[in-house]
Amino acid sequence: MFIDAATSSLTVGQRSTNSVTEFVQGLRQYPTANVGDAMDRLNLMDTGIASQWATGRCVGPALTVLTREGDNLAIHRALDDAEPGDVLVINALGGTTRAVFGDLLAEICLAAGIAGVVIDGLTRDRAAIKELGLPVWARGVSPAGPAKYGPGAVSVPVACGGTVVNPGDLITADDDGVAVIPIQRAESVLRRLADIDKFEEDLRTKIRNSTTTTAAGAVKHLANSI
């Protein structure tokens, strides 16, 4: 850790060992809303977990954190175990009085290769984090900073935005919000996403052709009436 603090109050579980590279690459081509459709509109975090700056997007396996409201000791410890491409998922108990994340943690995340951060709680330093380019989803912002005492846990199942997230589950997030794909469902979700994408493209083509035909007919009718 980059801070000097005792970690005896923390519990650290085991990282998932599943290989997810192929799934991550496949999911990158689909919006989060379609991912939700592929899971019957389930496993979507509530709308309070929102992108903290426009055009943020990330896909990757979850590195999970459970922390007391207003405390970020467990977050610092979790980043010791981070691997490039991880999405940091933090259950800060939905706290809305103190931020548990800020620009210094964002710097550590970027150095560790974190793809994005999802917080059931608050962040601070939003402008600085936007400038750094780290995608962050949270319940909002507060200038009030955190304590670093614990307790907390790393790499354990957590609740975030009303959804269960297990270590290694796949996270996809964009301007619409955050979806959680249980790792055991990743293959079937990708298959459904391909079907949904084809259906939507076929429907768009039909709509655009219909619009073009309707417009051409209107012009012809107008010309005949002059």
Side-chain angles (χ1 to χ4, degrees), residues 100-128:
V100 297
F101 193 85
D103 61 340
L104 293 178
L105 270 171
E107 293 265 16
I108 299 172
C109 284
L110 289 171
I114 290 288
V117 180
V118 179
I119 311 167
D120 200 332
L122 304 182
T123 184
R124 58 181 281 179
D125 309 318
R126 180 160 58 185

PDB file of all heavy atoms in Angstrom, residues 100-128:
ATOM      1  N   VAL A 100     -15.306   7.925  -0.358  1.00  0.00           N
ATOM      2  CA  VAL A 100     -14.320   6.876  -0.072  1.00  0.00           C
ATOM      3  C   VAL A 100     -13.281   6.775  -1.188  1.00  0.00           C
ATOM      4  O   VAL A 100     -12.384   5.936  -1.123  1.00  0.00           O
ATOM      5  CB  VAL A 100     -14.996   5.501   0.119  1.00  0.00           C
ATOM      6  CG1 VAL A 100     -15.918   5.517   1.332  1.00  0.00           C
ATOM      7  CG2 VAL A 100     -15.748   5.071  -1.135  1.00  0.00           C
ATOM      8  N   PHE A 101     -13.395   7.641  -2.196  1.00  0.00           N
ATOM      9  CA  PHE A 101     -12.504   7.566  -3.354  1.00  0.00           C
ATOM     10  C   PHE A 101     -12.198   8.985  -3.811  1.00  0.00           C
ATOM     11  O   PHE A 101     -13.038   9.876  -3.721  1.00  0.00           O
ATOM     12  CB  PHE A 101     -13.182   6.783  -4.491  1.00  0.00           C
ATOM     13  CG  PHE A 101     -12.271   6.372  -5.605  1.00  0.00           C
ATOM     14  CD1 PHE A 101     -11.530   5.199  -5.520  1.00  0.00           C
ATOM     15  CD2 PHE A 101     -12.139   7.155  -6.740  1.00  0.00           C
ATOM     16  CE1 PHE A 101     -10.680   4.816  -6.541  1.00  0.00           C
ATOM     17  CE2 PHE A 101     -11.290   6.785  -7.769  1.00  0.00           C
ATOM     18  CZ  PHE A 101     -10.564   5.614  -7.681  1.00  0.00           C
ATOM     19  N   GLY A 102     -10.948   9.162  -4.314  1.00  0.00           N
ATOM     20  CA  GLY A 102     -10.542  10.479  -4.795  1.00  0.00           C
ATOM     21  C   GLY A 102      -9.422  10.387  -5.801  1.00  0.00           C
ATOM     22  O   GLY A 102      -9.081   9.300  -6.281  1.00  0.00           O
ATOM     23  N   ASP A 103      -8.821  11.543  -6.121  1.00  0.00           N
ATOM     24  CA  ASP A 103      -7.855  11.570  -7.218  1.00  0.00           C
ATOM     25  C   ASP A 103      -6.576  10.797  -6.921  1.00  0.00           C
ATOM     26  O   ASP A 103      -5.962  10.232  -7.839  1.00  0.00           O
ATOM     27  CB  ASP A 103      -7.534  13.011  -7.633  1.00  0.00           C
ATOM     28  CG  ASP A 103      -6.928  13.842  -6.516  1.00  0.00           C
ATOM     29  OD1 ASP A 103      -7.069  13.480  -5.328  1.00  0.00           O
ATOM     30  OD2 ASP A 103      -6.310  14.887  -6.829  1.00  0.00           O
ATOM     31  N   LEU A 104      -6.163  10.721  -5.652  1.00  0.00           N
ATOM     32  CA  LEU A 104      -4.944   9.960  -5.350  1.00  0.00           C
ATOM     33  C   LEU A 104      -5.179   8.461  -5.545  1.00  0.00           C
ATOM     34  O   LEU A 104      -4.330   7.755  -6.107  1.00  0.00           O
ATOM     35  CB  LEU A 104      -4.474  10.249  -3.925  1.00  0.00           C
ATOM     36  CG  LEU A 104      -3.977  11.679  -3.683  1.00  0.00           C
ATOM     37  CD1 LEU A 104      -3.586  11.874  -2.229  1.00  0.00           C
ATOM     38  CD2 LEU A 104      -2.797  11.999  -4.601  1.00  0.00           C
ATOM     39  N   LEU A 105      -6.326   7.965  -5.100  1.00  0.00           N
ATOM     40  CA  LEU A 105      -6.658   6.572  -5.376  1.00  0.00           C
ATOM     41  C   LEU A 105      -6.816   6.343  -6.875  1.00  0.00           C
ATOM     42  O   LEU A 105      -6.465   5.271  -7.390  1.00  0.00           O
ATOM     43  CB  LEU A 105      -7.949   6.169  -4.650  1.00  0.00           C
ATOM     44  CG  LEU A 105      -7.778   5.608  -3.235  1.00  0.00           C
ATOM     45  CD1 LEU A 105      -9.127   5.467  -2.553  1.00  0.00           C
ATOM     46  CD2 LEU A 105      -7.038   4.274  -3.250  1.00  0.00           C
ATOM     47  N   ALA A 106      -7.328   7.333  -7.582  1.00  0.00           N
ATOM     48  CA  ALA A 106      -7.445   7.206  -9.038  1.00  0.00           C
ATOM     49  C   ALA A 106      -6.076   7.051  -9.678  1.00  0.00           C
ATOM     50  O   ALA A 106      -5.893   6.253 -10.606  1.00  0.00           O
ATOM     51  CB  ALA A 106      -8.169   8.424  -9.619  1.00  0.00           C
ATOM     52  N   GLU A 107      -5.102   7.792  -9.181  1.00  0.00           N
ATOM     53  CA  GLU A 107      -3.719   7.661  -9.688  1.00  0.00           C
ATOM     54  C   GLU A 107      -3.191   6.244  -9.450  1.00  0.00           C
ATOM     55  O   GLU A 107      -2.564   5.650 -10.331  1.00  0.00           O
ATOM     56  CB  GLU A 107      -2.817   8.680  -8.998  1.00  0.00           C
ATOM     57  CG  GLU A 107      -3.109  10.128  -9.321  1.00  0.00           C
ATOM     58  CD  GLU A 107      -2.243  10.660 -10.449  1.00  0.00           C
ATOM     59  OE1 GLU A 107      -1.643   9.861 -11.186  1.00  0.00           O
ATOM     60  OE2 GLU A 107      -2.185  11.895 -10.582  1.00  0.00           O
ATOM     61  N   ILE A 108      -3.463   5.699  -8.262  1.00  0.00           N
ATOM     62  CA  ILE A 108      -3.005   4.339  -7.956  1.00  0.00           C
ATOM     63  C   ILE A 108      -3.711   3.342  -8.875  1.00  0.00           C
ATOM     64  O   ILE A 108      -3.095   2.396  -9.384  1.00  0.00           O
ATOM     65  CB  ILE A 108      -3.270   3.997  -6.471  1.00  0.00           C
ATOM     66  CG1 ILE A 108      -2.513   4.956  -5.551  1.00  0.00           C
ATOM     67  CG2 ILE A 108      -2.859   2.556  -6.178  1.00  0.00           C
ATOM     68  CD1 ILE A 108      -2.882   4.813  -4.081  1.00  0.00           C
ATOM     69  N   CYS A 109      -5.004   3.555  -9.097  1.00  0.00           N
ATOM     70  CA  CYS A 109      -5.764   2.668  -9.986  1.00  0.00           C
ATOM     71  C   CYS A 109      -5.158   2.658 -11.388  1.00  0.00           C
ATOM     72  O   CYS A 109      -4.989   1.590 -12.001  1.00  0.00           O
ATOM     73  CB  CYS A 109      -7.218   3.109 -10.058  1.00  0.00           C
ATOM     74  SG  CYS A 109      -8.211   2.680  -8.623  1.00  0.00           S
ATOM     75  N   LEU A 110      -4.855   3.818 -11.908  1.00  0.00           N
ATOM     76  CA  LEU A 110      -4.288   3.900 -13.252  1.00  0.00           C
ATOM     77  C   LEU A 110      -2.922   3.224 -13.313  1.00  0.00           C
ATOM     78  O   LEU A 110      -2.599   2.530 -14.285  1.00  0.00           O
ATOM     79  CB  LEU A 110      -4.188   5.362 -13.692  1.00  0.00           C
ATOM     80  CG  LEU A 110      -5.538   6.036 -13.993  1.00  0.00           C
ATOM     81  CD1 LEU A 110      -5.339   7.532 -14.204  1.00  0.00           C
ATOM     82  CD2 LEU A 110      -6.185   5.416 -15.222  1.00  0.00           C
ATOM     83  N   ALA A 111      -2.121   3.402 -12.272  1.00  0.00           N
ATOM     84  CA  ALA A 111      -0.811   2.754 -12.237  1.00  0.00           C
ATOM     85  C   ALA A 111      -0.947   1.235 -12.202  1.00  0.00           C
ATOM     86  O   ALA A 111      -0.107   0.509 -12.745  1.00  0.00           O
ATOM     87  CB  ALA A 111      -0.026   3.238 -11.017  1.00  0.00           C
ATOM     88  N   ALA A 112      -2.035   0.751 -11.591  1.00  0.00           N
ATOM     89  CA  ALA A 112      -2.271  -0.694 -11.490  1.00  0.00           C
ATOM     90  C   ALA A 112      -2.978  -1.262 -12.712  1.00  0.00           C
ATOM     91  O   ALA A 112      -3.152  -2.472 -12.819  1.00  0.00           O
ATOM     92  CB  ALA A 112      -3.088  -0.998 -10.238  1.00  0.00           C
ATOM     93  N   GLY A 113      -3.437  -0.393 -13.617  1.00  0.00           N
ATOM     94  CA  GLY A 113      -4.129  -0.859 -14.818  1.00  0.00           C
ATOM     95  C   GLY A 113      -5.618  -1.097 -14.633  1.00  0.00           C
ATOM     96  O   GLY A 113      -6.245  -1.788 -15.442  1.00  0.00           O
ATOM     97  N   ILE A 114      -6.207  -0.525 -13.574  1.00  0.00           N
ATOM     98  CA  ILE A 114      -7.640  -0.675 -13.329  1.00  0.00           C
ATOM     99  C   ILE A 114      -8.422  -0.053 -14.492  1.00  0.00           C
ATOM    100  O   ILE A 114      -8.147   1.068 -14.922  1.00  0.00           O
ATOM    101  CB  ILE A 114      -8.041   0.004 -12.003  1.00  0.00           C
ATOM    102  CG1 ILE A 114      -7.462  -0.791 -10.815  1.00  0.00           C
ATOM    103  CG2 ILE A 114      -9.540   0.163 -11.879  1.00  0.00           C
ATOM    104  CD1 ILE A 114      -8.126  -2.107 -10.562  1.00  0.00           C
ATOM    105  N   ALA A 115      -9.441  -0.791 -14.988  1.00  0.00           N
ATOM    106  CA  ALA A 115     -10.213  -0.319 -16.144  1.00  0.00           C
ATOM    107  C   ALA A 115     -11.313   0.654 -15.751  1.00  0.00           C
ATOM    108  O   ALA A 115     -11.732   1.491 -16.572  1.00  0.00           O
ATOM    109  CB  ALA A 115     -10.827  -1.509 -16.879  1.00  0.00           C
ATOM    110  N   GLY A 116     -11.811   0.559 -14.533  1.00  0.00           N
ATOM    111  CA  GLY A 116     -12.876   1.436 -14.074  1.00  0.00           C
ATOM    112  C   GLY A 116     -13.188   1.156 -12.619  1.00  0.00           C
ATOM    113  O   GLY A 116     -12.741   0.150 -12.058  1.00  0.00           O
ATOM    114  N   VAL A 117     -13.969   2.058 -12.012  1.00  0.00           N
ATOM    115  CA  VAL A 117     -14.298   1.954 -10.595  1.00  0.00           C
ATOM    116  C   VAL A 117     -15.795   2.153 -10.427  1.00  0.00           C
ATOM    117  O   VAL A 117     -16.371   3.102 -10.969  1.00  0.00           O
ATOM    118  CB  VAL A 117     -13.544   3.014  -9.766  1.00  0.00           C
ATOM    119  CG1 VAL A 117     -13.897   2.898  -8.289  1.00  0.00           C
ATOM    120  CG2 VAL A 117     -12.034   2.883  -9.970  1.00  0.00           C
ATOM    121  N   VAL A 118     -16.429   1.249  -9.668  1.00  0.00           N
ATOM    122  CA  VAL A 118     -17.859   1.325  -9.384  1.00  0.00           C
ATOM    123  C   VAL A 118     -18.023   1.383  -7.863  1.00  0.00           C
ATOM    124  O   VAL A 118     -17.530   0.504  -7.156  1.00  0.00           O
ATOM    125  CB  VAL A 118     -18.610   0.106  -9.953  1.00  0.00           C
ATOM    126  CG1 VAL A 118     -20.096   0.199  -9.632  1.00  0.00           C
ATOM    127  CG2 VAL A 118     -18.385  -0.009 -11.462  1.00  0.00           C
ATOM    128  N   ILE A 119     -18.726   2.408  -7.383  1.00  0.00           N
ATOM    129  CA  ILE A 119     -18.806   2.647  -5.940  1.00  0.00           C
ATOM    130  C   ILE A 119     -20.250   2.772  -5.491  1.00  0.00           C
ATOM    131  O   ILE A 119     -20.982   3.640  -5.987  1.00  0.00           O
ATOM    132  CB  ILE A 119     -18.071   3.945  -5.541  1.00  0.00           C
ATOM    133  CG1 ILE A 119     -16.664   3.993  -6.141  1.00  0.00           C
ATOM    134  CG2 ILE A 119     -18.019   4.080  -4.020  1.00  0.00           C
ATOM    135  CD1 ILE A 119     -16.021   5.370  -6.051  1.00  0.00           C
ATOM    136  N   ASP A 120     -20.678   1.934  -4.565  1.00  0.00           N
ATOM    137  CA  ASP A 120     -21.960   2.143  -3.903  1.00  0.00           C
ATOM    138  C   ASP A 120     -21.676   3.066  -2.724  1.00  0.00           C
ATOM    139  O   ASP A 120     -21.597   2.654  -1.570  1.00  0.00           O
ATOM    140  CB  ASP A 120     -22.581   0.825  -3.448  1.00  0.00           C
ATOM    141  CG  ASP A 120     -24.080   0.964  -3.217  1.00  0.00           C
ATOM    142  OD1 ASP A 120     -24.523   2.082  -2.899  1.00  0.00           O
ATOM    143  OD2 ASP A 120     -24.803  -0.033  -3.360  1.00  0.00           O
ATOM    144  N   GLY A 121     -21.483   4.323  -3.055  1.00  0.00           N
ATOM    145  CA  GLY A 121     -21.067   5.356  -2.122  1.00  0.00           C
ATOM    146  C   GLY A 121     -20.628   6.563  -2.924  1.00  0.00           C
ATOM    147  O   GLY A 121     -21.004   6.711  -4.094  1.00  0.00           O
ATOM    148  N   LEU A 122     -19.796   7.413  -2.328  1.00  0.00           N
ATOM    149  CA  LEU A 122     -19.428   8.678  -2.949  1.00  0.00           C
ATOM    150  C   LEU A 122     -17.959   8.742  -3.344  1.00  0.00           C
ATOM    151  O   LEU A 122     -17.105   8.057  -2.766  1.00  0.00           O
ATOM    152  CB  LEU A 122     -19.712   9.842  -1.985  1.00  0.00           C
ATOM    153  CG  LEU A 122     -21.137   9.977  -1.444  1.00  0.00           C
ATOM    154  CD1 LEU A 122     -21.238  11.214  -0.559  1.00  0.00           C
ATOM    155  CD2 LEU A 122     -22.150  10.037  -2.571  1.00  0.00           C
ATOM    156  N   THR A 123     -17.685   9.592  -4.321  1.00  0.00           N
ATOM    157  CA  THR A 123     -16.324   9.943  -4.687  1.00  0.00           C
ATOM    158  C   THR A 123     -16.109  11.425  -4.393  1.00  0.00           C
ATOM    159  O   THR A 123     -17.035  12.145  -3.999  1.00  0.00           O
ATOM    160  CB  THR A 123     -16.047   9.641  -6.168  1.00  0.00           C
ATOM    161  OG1 THR A 123     -14.668   9.912  -6.455  1.00  0.00           O
ATOM    162  CG2 THR A 123     -16.916  10.481  -7.084  1.00  0.00           C
ATOM    163  N   ARG A 124     -14.890  11.880  -4.558  1.00  0.00           N
ATOM    164  CA  ARG A 124     -14.559  13.301  -4.506  1.00  0.00           C
ATOM    165  C   ARG A 124     -13.581  13.574  -5.650  1.00  0.00           C
ATOM    166  O   ARG A 124     -13.262  12.671  -6.420  1.00  0.00           O
ATOM    167  CB  ARG A 124     -13.961  13.695  -3.154  1.00  0.00           C
ATOM    168  CG  ARG A 124     -12.713  12.915  -2.785  1.00  0.00           C
ATOM    169  CD  ARG A 124     -12.163  13.311  -1.436  1.00  0.00           C
ATOM    170  NE  ARG A 124     -11.403  14.552  -1.494  1.00  0.00           N
ATOM    171  CZ  ARG A 124     -10.833  15.136  -0.436  1.00  0.00           C
ATOM    172  NH1 ARG A 124     -10.978  14.583   0.772  1.00  0.00           N
ATOM    173  NH2 ARG A 124     -10.144  16.241  -0.545  1.00  0.00           N
ATOM    174  N   ASP A 125     -13.159  14.818  -5.808  1.00  0.00           N
ATOM    175  CA  ASP A 125     -12.156  15.177  -6.823  1.00  0.00           C
ATOM    176  C   ASP A 125     -12.612  14.791  -8.229  1.00  0.00           C
ATOM    177  O   ASP A 125     -11.827  14.322  -9.043  1.00  0.00           O
ATOM    178  CB  ASP A 125     -10.805  14.517  -6.517  1.00  0.00           C
ATOM    179  CG  ASP A 125     -10.337  14.761  -5.096  1.00  0.00           C
ATOM    180  OD1 ASP A 125     -10.475  15.892  -4.622  1.00  0.00           O
ATOM    181  OD2 ASP A 125      -9.834  13.811  -4.464  1.00  0.00           O
ATOM    182  N   ARG A 126     -13.900  14.999  -8.511  1.00  0.00           N
ATOM    183  CA  ARG A 126     -14.446  14.541  -9.789  1.00  0.00           C
ATOM    184  C   ARG A 126     -13.740  15.174 -10.978  1.00  0.00           C
ATOM    185  O   ARG A 126     -13.445  14.481 -11.960  1.00  0.00           O
ATOM    186  CB  ARG A 126     -15.949  14.813  -9.851  1.00  0.00           C
ATOM    187  CG  ARG A 126     -16.595  14.352 -11.154  1.00  0.00           C
ATOM    188  CD  ARG A 126     -18.086  14.181 -11.034  1.00  0.00           C
ATOM    189  NE  ARG A 126     -18.766  15.387 -10.613  1.00  0.00           N
ATOM    190  CZ  ARG A 126     -20.070  15.454 -10.338  1.00  0.00           C
ATOM    191  NH1 ARG A 126     -20.818  14.359 -10.437  1.00  0.00           N
ATOM    192  NH2 ARG A 126     -20.627  16.587  -9.952  1.00  0.00           N
ATOM    193  N   ALA A 127     -13.452  16.458 -10.927  1.00  0.00           N
ATOM    194  CA  ALA A 127     -12.800  17.128 -12.057  1.00  0.00           C
ATOM    195  C   ALA A 127     -11.414  16.558 -12.304  1.00  0.00           C
ATOM    196  O   ALA A 127     -11.011  16.328 -13.454  1.00  0.00           O
ATOM    197  CB  ALA A 127     -12.727  18.631 -11.807  1.00  0.00           C
ATOM    198  N   ALA A 128     -10.671  16.309 -11.235  1.00  0.00           N
ATOM    199  CA  ALA A 128      -9.321  15.757 -11.376  1.00  0.00           C
ATOM    200  C   ALA A 128      -9.367  14.337 -11.923  1.00  0.00           C
ATOM    201  O   ALA A 128      -8.529  13.958 -12.758  1.00  0.00           O
ATOM    202  CB  ALA A 128      -8.598  15.788 -10.027  1.00  0.00           C
TER     203      ALA A 128
END
